Amino acid sequence: MTAHVLTDCWTMTRRELAHWQRRPVQAVVAVAFPLMMLVMFVYFIGGGMRVGNYREFLVPGMFALTMAFGLEATMVALTQDLNRGVIDRFRSIPMAQSAVLVGRSLHDMLESAVSLVVLVGAGLLVGWRWHSGLVEAAAAVGLLLLLRFAMLWAGIYCALVAGRPELVQAVQILIWPVAFFSNVFSSPATMPTWMGHVAEWNPMSATARAVRELFGNPVWGGGDSWAGSHATLLAVLWPLALLAVFFPLAVRKYAAMGK
Amino acid sequence: MGTDDAVVVEGLRKDYGSKQALSGLDLTVRSGTVHGLLGPNGAGKTTAVRILSTLLRPSAGRAVVAGYDVVARPDEVRRRIGLLGQHAAVDEELSGRQNLEMFGRLYHLGARRAAAEAEALLERFGLADTGRKPVSAYSGGMRRRLDLAASLIGSSAHGDGDGAGQRVLFLDEPTTGLDPRGRNEVWNAVRSLVGGGTTVLLTTQYLEEADQLADTVAVIDAGHVVAEGTPDELKAKLGADRIDVVVRDVAQLEAAASVVGMAAGAAEVTRDPDRRLLSAPVGDRMAALAGAVRGLEAAGIDAEDIALRRPTLDEVFLHTTAKEAGAA
């Protein structure tokens, strides 16, 4: 059976990829959502941001936000499979059971990579530029995908624990204050002191700031706190810490579904 | 266990905290037969099926499916079973063909065999011309048939170990939520399986369904079997045949009940005013029939219909589960 692990993982990934072709509208909407946010903040709200080049500040933040919101996409897809009994069927056939979650994560990473490419293109269109070398840019992309990977396993765990569409909605709502309680849209230096500190410790802020630094985009203050001055380190540690918690929890939860 | 037994369950228990979903279930299903598991909501039917299909671990007891213990050798069991859960567990966004090919690949048939089997199964279940539509556009009956087809994927596998061709199918309330037409489609599909040596364990709340499909039936209530046998044996267990009388005027139902009760020598006559029907168990069939006809005529009661019949499974079911409730 172990001989089939790789083919089973690929079969499960292909299943998800077939969805793209089957529901092109949904695939477009999934990518369009961060684009819409980008347009909203650049053109509707960005005009009111009287500090330097807001677009150069915002676009890397949107990259990080999109990766973090991937939690929701993963949770929705897995919850649907759980509720439709599809997971039960997978569990009752002689396939490599690890392929269910591995296939999910392979697909979600591919999808996120595609939406990142689209978002980079959109960023360039609205006037964002990177001012560093290829190595730094590659490192920035690596950090973004690392955050997505951590959020993916958090999403898998949430779906396995909650497993109900109502709770997906709760997560979809709660994710917003977390998104704004960060440096994605504005500098923590402009927030009340304690809030600014909390916002700087947000994992999304660490990635956003690290990516800004790596792309050579403005970071706007903060800098004086430990979290602010060690953003790149935190952008590695935070996702690894989240993975260290959620990966084993998710795997254990899946294996224990029959208990 | 006999080698002819596809499913053997002994003293199976499943506890959720202090709640017992199964309280010592014993069950034997012979190969190539359809066994009905009949019971009300919460009787433990789904729990039993989930344990037998390796989705759930039992708290105690033993379950052997196709010769393998479900706890010790789940992989071997999974190669030999098909599961039809309460929802049609197919990918709604993919076509029927894509679904079947995906499951074929997950059974490691290889791309060509998977495609060939998908094609054959779509043909067999009358889905060939819908194979490209997404499942979300299917009717309820079509979804269920696709679900059935999916649970048979890989069952014609050769060189895949012993017994790979003989499937044990678990159908958990396969027609719940279907309209009569969809129900008939699924029934016909299930009947078509049995000739090929497939064993079916079918749970249902519909007594008619068990009567239609099952060779043997176990009535289960509160997590264990309360009665078992062929549908005919179960009906015989309730004892007597029954006499049914439909009166023309519902106002005469009471009077007719006492006449028929007397003629049948029955203490208990059930009345259904909506259908102007009364029913009583009979000992001596002919004496009861003749007595009822004469008595009704003498009392001036106009009967629309008089008939002798075997008890229905409904009556067996109510009888056995009510006895349980009384004993508890």
Side-chain angles (χ1 to χ4, degrees):
Chain A
M1 198 173 127
T2 42
H4 295 296
V5 173
L6 288 181
T7 43
D8 288 355
C9 289
W10 180 231
T11 303
M12 297 304 285
T13 310
R14 273 178 61 179
R15 167 194 174 218
E16 297 293 336
L17 291 176
H19 288 163
W20 290 14
Q21 169 207 347
R22 276 275 162 190
R23 40 164 203 208
V25 175
Q26 245 173 300
V28 168
V29 167
V31 178
F33 181 73
L35 285 184
M36 186 191 79
M37 296 271 298
L38 186 70
V39 168
M40 251 170 60
F41 278 88
V42 165
Y43 293 108
F44 302 158
I45 295 169
M49 298 286 187
R50 300 260 167 254
V51 269
N53 189 341
Y54 183 61
R55 292 176 191 186
E56 293 241 319
F57 174 82
L58 176 72
V59 169
M62 290 302 304
F63 295 160
L65 183 83
T66 306
M67 294 300 107
F69 272 27
L71 182 150
E72 191 188 312
T74 300
M75 187 177 174
V76 168
L78 185 53
T79 302
Q80 207 171 62
D81 276 353
L82 284 165
N83 281 284
R84 286 186 181 159
V86 180
I87 297 293
D88 276 353
R89 169 153 271 152
F90 290 141
R91 290 180 60 225
S92 73
I93 64 181
M95 59 181 284
Q97 288 302 306
S98 55
V100 175
L101 297 186
V102 174
R104 163 102 272 133
S105 43
L106 263 174
H107 162 265
D108 287 4
M109 288 307 292
L110 271 174
E111 190 177 59
S112 294
V114 168
S115 52
L116 198 55
V117 167
V118 174
L119 211 51
V120 165
L124 290 170
L125 279 181
V126 302
W128 165 80
R129 294 289 180 270
W130 87 77
H131 310 283
S132 57
L134 270 180
V135 176
E136 286 87 349
V141 170
L143 286 180
L144 287 167
L145 292 177
L146 181 64
L147 178 69
R148 175 66 183 97
F149 193 59
M151 288 301 163
L152 196 155
W153 285 95
I156 288 177
Y157 180 67
C158 287
L160 290 174
V161 169
R164 296 205 307 276
E166 311 90 85
L167 292 163
V168 171
Q169 277 181 4
V171 168
Q172 282 172 334
I173 292 167
L174 285 174
I175 205 163
W176 285 100
V178 177
F180 280 96
F181 212 158
S182 74
N183 65 10
V184 165
F185 299 106
S186 62
S187 166
T190 65
M191 301 176 188
T193 316
W194 71 269
M195 281 193 175
H197 286 312
V198 177
E200 283 202 319
W201 280 97
N202 186 329
M204 217 186 307
S205 300
T207 303
R209 180 166 178 142
V211 168
R212 281 171 184 142
E213 287 173 358
L214 286 165
F215 280 138
N217 295 134
V219 294
W220 290 349
D224 45 336
S225 74
W226 193 90
S229 51
H230 295 81
T232 310
L233 180 67
L234 271 182
V236 175
L237 289 185
W238 255 129
L240 289 182
L242 289 170
L243 275 174
V245 173
F246 287 111
F247 181 80
L249 277 178
V251 169
R252 282 235 311 264
K253 189 76 195 166
Y254 186 81
M257 272 173 79
K259 294 282 158 61
Chain B
M1 66 179 262
T3 47
D4 282 350
D5 295 333
V7 177
V8 178
V9 172
E10 285 164 0
L12 204 61
R13 277 196 21 228
K14 181 68 188 176
D15 308 322
Y16 292 103
S18 61
K19 201 178 153 277
Q20 279 194 331
L22 292 180
S23 55
L25 184 77
D26 298 302
L27 199 66
T28 304
V29 182
R30 287 177 57 83
S31 288
T33 65
V34 180
H35 192 84
L37 208 52
L38 187 63
N41 266 331
K45 304 186 298 290
T46 296
T47 306
V49 164
R50 290 181 68 83
I51 290 175
L52 291 174
S53 53
T54 75
L55 295 181
L56 198 61
R57 276 170 170 271
S59 307
R62 203 170 74 103
V64 176
V65 174
Y68 291 93
D69 188 289
V70 294
V71 176
R73 306 292 300 278
D75 290 342
E76 294 297 336
V77 172
R78 284 174 192 154
R79 295 157 78 93
R80 293 164 175 82
I81 62 169
L83 170 67
L84 215 83
Q86 293 201 356
H87 315 282
V90 282
D91 192 315
E92 303 243 334
E93 280 141 24
L94 303 183
S95 69
R97 178 173 280 103
Q98 280 177 311
N99 265 289
L100 294 181
E101 286 184 9
M102 169 181 71
F103 288 119
R105 279 195 295 271
L106 291 173
Y107 271 95
H108 313 126
L109 297 182
R112 284 226 331 258
R113 284 268 322 277
E117 264 204 40
E119 189 64 52
L121 284 165
L122 287 171
E123 192 72 46
R124 176 169 170 195
F125 287 96
L127 295 165
D129 47 346
T130 57
R132 279 191 175 77
K133 268 203 287 184
V135 174
S136 52
Y138 280 25
S139 72
M142 284 160 65
R143 269 177 219 223
R144 266 329 210 177
R145 279 184 285 150
L146 179 66
D147 209 10
L148 260 178
S151 61
L152 286 173
I153 280 271
S155 58
S156 65
H158 0 258
D160 198 17
D162 58 322
Q166 303 276 307
R167 274 290 159 95
V168 181
L169 283 193
F170 299 105
L171 313 184
D172 194 7
E173 304 195 0
T175 60
T176 295
L178 294 185
D179 57 20
R181 188 192 149 136
R183 198 178 55 177
N184 272 323
E185 287 173 15
V186 171
W187 282 359
N188 288 332
V190 172
R191 286 195 193 101
S192 77
L193 299 178
V194 184
T198 308
T199 309
V200 177
L201 180 66
L202 164 106
T203 81
T204 181
Q205 301 187 48
Y206 305 128
L207 307 135
E208 191 195 350
E209 187 159 279
D211 210 0
Q212 287 275 338
L213 296 178
D215 302 306
T216 47
V217 176
V219 180
I220 115 168
D221 193 31
H224 61 277
V225 174
V226 293
E228 203 167 11
T230 66
D232 280 342
E233 280 168 2
L234 280 180
K235 290 174 195 167
K237 232 181 222 174
L238 184 65
D241 286 2
R242 300 186 72 91
I243 183 166
D244 281 359
V245 176
V246 179
V247 297
R248 205 171 288 284
D249 180 1
V250 74
Q252 294 182 317
L253 197 63
E254 269 314 308
S258 64
V259 170
V260 172
M262 194 98 76
E268 163 204 351
V269 182
T270 61
R271 301 160 178 82
D272 181 352
D274 291 337
R275 291 157 63 199
R276 291 171 282 122
L277 170 77
L278 54 88
S279 173
V282 298
D284 183 338
R285 291 160 56 93
M286 290 326 288
L289 182 60
V293 170
R294 276 198 304 269
L296 289 170
E297 205 171 58
I301 298 169
D302 198 1
E304 216 168 74
D305 192 20
I306 299 182
L308 285 167
R309 63 171 176 83
R310 315 289 320 267
T312 64
L313 271 176
D314 265 301
E315 284 154 342
V316 177
F317 182 73
L318 288 173
H319 183 75
T320 45
T321 52
K323 232 173 31 193
E324 276 287 304

